[in-house]
Amino acid sequence: QARLVESGGGSVQAGGSLRLSCAASGFRFSDLWLYWVRQAPGKGIERVACMSMLGGSVYYADSVKGRFTISRDNAKNTGYLQMNSLKPEDSGIYYCASHGHALWEIAAMTAQLFPYWGQGTQVTVSS
């Protein structure tokens, strides 16, 4: 069964850090782009970052540039999102997803775009 499972979310104060993990199983993780997206309460899905299969191409949302770092370890079938200098506006449910193509130009992302989509992990940043 193909699946993505996120972990590492939690509650932190502004300025703190969290590292999210995304464990893939049941499909060739290394053949696909890795995405991190998030959804705040009452808002649509916002793209956060994505990385190509071997890590040669990386994209970040302007709102997280310089604070978040996406990475992947294909040998472990795992993706990561290191989040530093967290702000209250970073709060939401964070999802990892995988796709065979670069979809970064699609600003309005939905789960239906992705063949693989995790269950999400909650991140809460208090001021």
Side-chain angles (χ1 to χ4, degrees):
Q1 181 181 1
R3 60 188 304 199
L4 291 169
V5 179
E6 301 93 335
S7 61
S11 297
V12 296
Q13 291 191 326
S17 298
L18 286 172
R19 189 193 195 204
L20 306 183
S21 297
C22 171
S25 60
F27 66 98
R28 291 180 62 88
F29 176 73
S30 59
D31 287 350
L32 303 174
W33 283 73
L34 168 67
Y35 292 80
W36 286 98
V37 301
R38 66 188 181 189
Q39 187 168 27
K43 295 188 177 181
I45 293 173
E46 177 189 14
R47 55 188 182 178
V48 175
C50 73
M51 173 175 275
S52 60
M53 293 73 159
L54 298 181
S57 295
V58 177
Y59 299 94
Y60 292 99
D62 288 342
S63 58
V64 307
K65 279 181 181 176
R67 301 187 298 120
F68 290 13
T69 303
I70 188 173
S71 61
R72 64 191 298 164
D73 185 338
N74 288 336
K76 295 182 178 180
N77 290 323
T78 302
Y80 304 96
L81 185 69
Q82 177 67 43
M83 306 186 295
N84 298 328
S85 302
L86 283 162
K87 304 176 181 179
E89 52 263 42
D90 293 319
S91 296
I93 301 175
Y94 282 69
Y95 301 90
C96 65
S98 287
H99 197 285
H101 300 286
L103 301 179
W104 192 252
E105 72 280 3
I106 301 176
M109 291 189 168
T110 65
Q112 287 71 29
L113 286 172
F114 295 88
Y116 306 105
W117 182 272
Q119 86 289 347
T121 186
Q122 178 71 48
V123 171
T124 302
V125 185
S126 58
S127 57

